[in-house]
Amino acid sequence: MGLAAMGHAVTVVGRNAERGARAVERIDAVATGPEARFVAADLASLDAVRALAARLAEEGPLNVLVNNVGAMFADRRQTVDGIEASFAVNHLSPYLLTELLLEPLRDGGPSRIVNVTSGSVRVAKRAFGAVEPPGGYYGFHWYGRAKLANLAYTLDLAERLRGTGISVFAADPGGAATEMTDGTMRLPRIVSPGLRLLWPLVRRAFERATSGSASVAARSSILAAADASLDGLTGLVIGSKARPVAPFAPAADPRTAKAVLGLSRRLAPLTPPAGVIA
């Protein structure tokens, strides 16, 4: 809604056509430019991401790409590609979509890429040498791992694209009341046993952190995507108060970025493996 109110032609991507239509209706109510549209795609499927990228690329130049996808799971899940779902949805799908849309973003330059990050990076498992980290599955920590991977990728991508006309930012929305925070984040099993012993304190901390509105949480993404104060800049993390903040130090470590990129390229090649039809 914020981008449409600034005159952008907005494309909303999601799995559910009915919810997508409702979103587009709300967006169009405040739009000052072209009408919004909905495109159906399951971002838990790498082939669906490739098909989405091909469709968008065929339509011509892009000015802004906001990767706002996010999901946390109380219990371990696998995607259709056999990849742990939290890592696939929160990192691999935006990674793959971004890489496949770099050409139309160059054509639309000066353009911006915004990857939505999370404070959960601070509780992340930091091992990226393997598909999955060792130890038990705890949804909040694995969500943090995926978001840490994406933040490391974002900062590395900013340097890779410096001088190309594409700016890259991370945006931290802070907390907001959503289905994820009202549901999954109320379950003790999403945190490690040590934190589970302190669950009443942890739960209250979650509740305080996720009590904000979606409109407030969107401010950092809108600023990163379209504010003129960021023209010519890149590689910044826009914090929940809609101003630049220092990045989480492990995400800025070149060794982390190298490991994340290696794992991402192995799990989500830009072209499907031989014999697979996208």
Side-chain angles (χ1 to χ4, degrees), residues 12-23 38-42:
V12 179
V13 176
R15 293 173 298 167
N16 187 300
E18 183 179 345
R19 293 175 66 186
R22 291 201 301 267
F38 174 75
V39 174
D42 184 356

Side-chain angles (χ1 to χ4, degrees), residues 73-85:
F73 306 102
D75 302 297
R76 188 188 180 282
R77 298 186 190 180
Q78 275 194 341
T79 66
V80 294
D81 301 291
I83 301 169
E84 187 275 316

